[in-house]
Amino acid sequence: MKTVKALLLGDAMIPVGGFEAAWAKHLSGLGDQIVADDWESDWGELQHRRLEVEKRGPEIESVPEAALGAGSDAEILAGLFVPVSSTLLDAMAQLRLVGVCRAGVENVNVEAATRRGIAVFHVMGRNAHAVSDYAIGMMLAEARNIARAHQAVKSGTWRKTFSNSDIVPELHGRTIGLVGFGHIGALVARKLSGFDVDIIVHDPFADETALRSAGVEPVGLDELLERSDIISLHARLSDQNKGMIGAAQIARMKPTAILVNTARAGLIDEGALAAALSDGRIAGAALDVFETEPIPEDSPLLGLDNVTLTTHLAGTTADALTNSPYLLMQDIARLLAGDAPQGLVNPGVLDDPRFAEWLSAVREG
């Protein structure tokens, strides 16, 4: 293979050293012409910036200095949350491949990259086990008042009575509704199988036969809302499903239902949910994602006793973060070796003459 220059941009969640090690393991045949830097090393700032990019897209961010300077002639760009805007793509005229160590590509202008003949890679399922574990934990925490009891004990109160004391459920025999059945949703279903629950799924993109083979029942969204005792969201956020759980949808839920969201905040109308929880129209909710993070001090959710709130932790485990750069580089190496990659977001780019010429040159050395 020919030598290829790369720009590796880590951040506070996955520092650049992880990318360098993964490059050395899987792509060392491309040489060591690497520009390595951290895009945002402050944890708090990273959380704020990435959330804004996820809501508004990468065009709101400025181009990282490394992409304007030493890394401006790189052919490969890899990172986690680095915003890959059309401005950045213009600044890096030699760029042919972008890779992000996450399943979502909200921080990449995929359309602009495709127009320029640039391949975009992501890492599917990199934190699927982490999020699926967490989602089930949130179901149990909210249903059984685990966090509230812990908080009471720590503050000196031996609390035994809660807003749902008359209806505290066991999972056994309950109906769990999963909205979305990708890597994470499928793992949630598999891990819940030992609880002896009935699982129904709404996913307009999933094959019905495949769903039934997985032991779940495909249903429409309205039916899922009406039948489920616990509803857990595992869909990707898009223009089509933004706010898919609003006041009208919440009104279809059982008064004993619990809503869990470890996916994207934008799937839920947060104000409508807070109102429903306040009025007791559903029993509870467990949320790991919010419209604004950190959650504002005046958020009505903070005053409610029937909601479990956590700080966007579902996908953050040492295993998921450490392994991600290796999965990304391994998949890029798969393409360069002539095998089918697993995480190519825009496969049509393979037919683009600009990309095809570059790929051929890299393979032939």
Side-chain angles (χ1 to χ4, degrees), residues 252-277:
R252 290 184 174 273
M253 298 180 193
K254 297 178 181 181
T256 54
I258 292 170
L259 178 62
V260 177
N261 190 12
T262 55
R264 290 287 186 262
L267 296 170
I268 297 177
D269 180 332
E270 202 170 278
L273 175 61
L277 290 168

Side-chain angles (χ1 to χ4, degrees), residues 25-53:
K25 180 173 182 178
H26 292 293
L27 294 173
S28 58
L30 297 179
D32 58 359
Q33 288 192 33
I34 296 171
V35 175
D37 198 5
D38 279 317
W39 166 63
E40 175 56 82
S41 57
D42 182 276
W43 184 274
E45 281 298 309
L46 176 66
Q47 304 313 312
H48 170 71
R49 293 175 75 176
R50 76 181 182 99
L51 181 64
E52 289 302 306
V53 168

Side-chain angles (χ1 to χ4, degrees), residues 133-149:
D133 289 350
Y134 202 90
I136 295 171
M138 292 286 266
M139 295 178 194
L140 292 167
E142 179 56 32
R144 301 299 304 277
N145 300 294
I146 294 172
R148 287 183 281 276

Side-chain angles (χ1 to χ4, degrees), residues 61-80:
E61 278 279 0
S62 58
V63 177
E65 290 185 12
L68 295 172
S72 61
D73 58 344
E75 296 161 74
I76 294 178
L77 168 64
L80 177 61

Side-chain angles (χ1 to χ4, degrees), residues 142-163:
E142 179 56 32
R144 301 299 304 277
N145 300 294
I146 294 172
R148 287 183 281 276
H150 169 80
Q151 184 179 38
V153 172
K154 295 281 282 186
S155 62
T157 303
W158 196 255
R159 186 178 179 187
K160 302 283 282 185
T161 303
F162 303 91
S163 63

